């Protein structure tokens, strides 16, 4: 994975897309920044954070992903791999469906994924430092370079979706205490059923990750 490091950028996700449009896609690429001024969050919201937090976006070809991975659940997949790395470092971080990083009951980060032909763009923001009272931060100290090295090493292994999902299904019980946004409305996950493709069944409706 080629990594380009920036001090500041409007959005690693936007920068990456512009970079690929100008230079083309020839190899997996990651953009990392110490600070972003206009980060892209879910449903068009921003995720700016503060300097010193972790902001990175990367691009992969679909062939670099496991063959059993439902494309609609890529965000769950890439989020959970990072979560597992942090968990191995003794963090208590967990993933709220579909791709928000939580410590206890506070969001500390999230993932956004977009697709263009056979290329997948993934952006991840994670609070390593305090932002405000609404959001939490990671509960351990980490070295960003080490985390990225371990993360992309795991991505390259093409860990099967079946393996990731078996763990995520257990953790999904924690999500049931929360709500998610569907069609611009807050919906309780209390009675939601998690399907094997990563979608949920809620209020007689099948919903995939919308990010």
């Amino acid at each position: 994975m080629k990594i380009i490091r920036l001090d500041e950028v409007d959005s690693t996700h936007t920068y990456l897309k512009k970079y690929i449009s100008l230079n083309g896609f020839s190899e997996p690429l990651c953009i990392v920044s110490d600070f972003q001024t206009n980060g892209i969050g879910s449903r068009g919201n921003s995720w700016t954070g503060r300097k010193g937090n972790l902001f990175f976006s990367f691009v992969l070809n679909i062939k670099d992903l496991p063959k059993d991975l439902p494309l609609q659940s890529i965000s769950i997949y890439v989020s959970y791999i990072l979560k597992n790395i942090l968990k191995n470092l003794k963090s208590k971080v967990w993933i709220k469906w579909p791709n928000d990083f939580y410590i206890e009951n506070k969001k500390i980060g999230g993932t956004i994924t977009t697709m263009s032909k056979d290329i997948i763009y993934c952006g991840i923001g994670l609070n390593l430092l305090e932002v405000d009272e609404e959001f939490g931060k990671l509960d351990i100290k980490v070295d960003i370079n080490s985390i990225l090295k371990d993360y992309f090493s795991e991505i390259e292994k093409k860990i099967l979706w079946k393996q990731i999902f078996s763990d995520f299904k257990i953790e999904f019980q924690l999500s049931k205490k929360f709500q998610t946004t569907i069609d611009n409305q807050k919906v309780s996950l209390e009675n939601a059923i998690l399907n094997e493709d990563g979608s949920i069944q809620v209020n007689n409706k099948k919903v995939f990750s919308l990010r």
Side-chain angles (χ1 to χ4, degrees), residues 15-179:
Y15 183 97
L16 178 59
K17 285 190 170 184
K18 289 179 180 177
Y19 185 95
I20 295 297
S21 69
L22 291 173
N23 300 283
F25 175 79
S26 59
E27 61 181 334
L29 173 67
C30 174
I31 305 296
V32 186
S33 179
D34 289 335
F35 183 57
Q36 56 180 14
T37 57
N38 191 28
I40 300 173
S42 60
R43 298 176 301 280
N45 296 325
S46 64
W47 181 266
T48 302
R50 58 176 280 197
K51 189 174 180 66
N53 287 335
L54 177 58
F55 311 99
F56 70 102
S57 295
F58 59 98
V59 61
L60 298 169
N61 193 291
I62 289 176
K63 66 180 179 61
D64 296 319
L65 297 165
K67 291 183 179 180
D68 72 332
L69 174 60
L71 294 181
Q72 303 94 327
S73 292
I74 287 174
S75 57
I76 296 176
Y77 180 82
V78 297
S79 301
Y80 209 81
I81 288 177
L82 180 56
K83 175 258 176 184
N84 280 342
I85 289 172
L86 297 172
K87 181 181 177 182
N88 289 337
L89 296 173
K90 308 303 181 185
S91 172
K92 294 181 179 178
V93 63
W94 60 278
I95 301 296
K96 172 183 167 288
W97 188 92
N99 46 22
D100 289 331
F101 295 86
Y102 268 66
I103 293 289
E104 296 181 345
N105 65 345
K106 284 193 174 183
K107 181 177 177 178
I108 67 165
T111 301
I112 182 169
T113 55
T114 54
M115 188 183 313
S116 176
K117 297 182 180 179
D118 292 334
I119 298 177
I120 306 294
Y121 294 90
C122 304
I124 296 179
L126 200 65
N127 290 341
L128 306 181
L129 305 171
E130 205 75 55
V131 176
D132 56 39
E133 292 183 358
E134 181 181 356
F135 297 99
K137 67 173 183 175
L138 191 64
D139 54 348
I140 58 172
K141 299 285 186 182
V142 295
D143 177 79
I144 290 177
N145 292 330
S146 177
I147 288 293
L148 291 177
K149 179 181 178 181
D150 291 346
Y151 181 63
F152 290 122
S153 176
E154 290 297 292
I155 292 289
E156 289 171 5
K157 291 178 182 178
K158 297 185 182 180
I159 301 168
L160 292 178
W161 165 251
K162 181 179 179 181
Q163 182 178 337
I164 295 292
F165 179 77
S166 65
D167 293 333
F168 181 67
K169 185 175 183 179
I170 297 171
E171 191 169 281
F172 179 72
Q173 299 304 313
L174 296 174
S175 292
K176 292 195 170 190
K177 297 182 293 183
F178 295 85
Q179 296 179 324

Side-chain angles (χ1 to χ4, degrees), residues 195-209:
N195 300 314
E196 290 188 2
D197 58 7
S199 66
I200 58 170
Q201 209 74 30
V202 59
N203 297 338
N204 297 316
K205 184 176 182 179
K206 186 174 184 178
V207 182
F208 280 98
S209 164

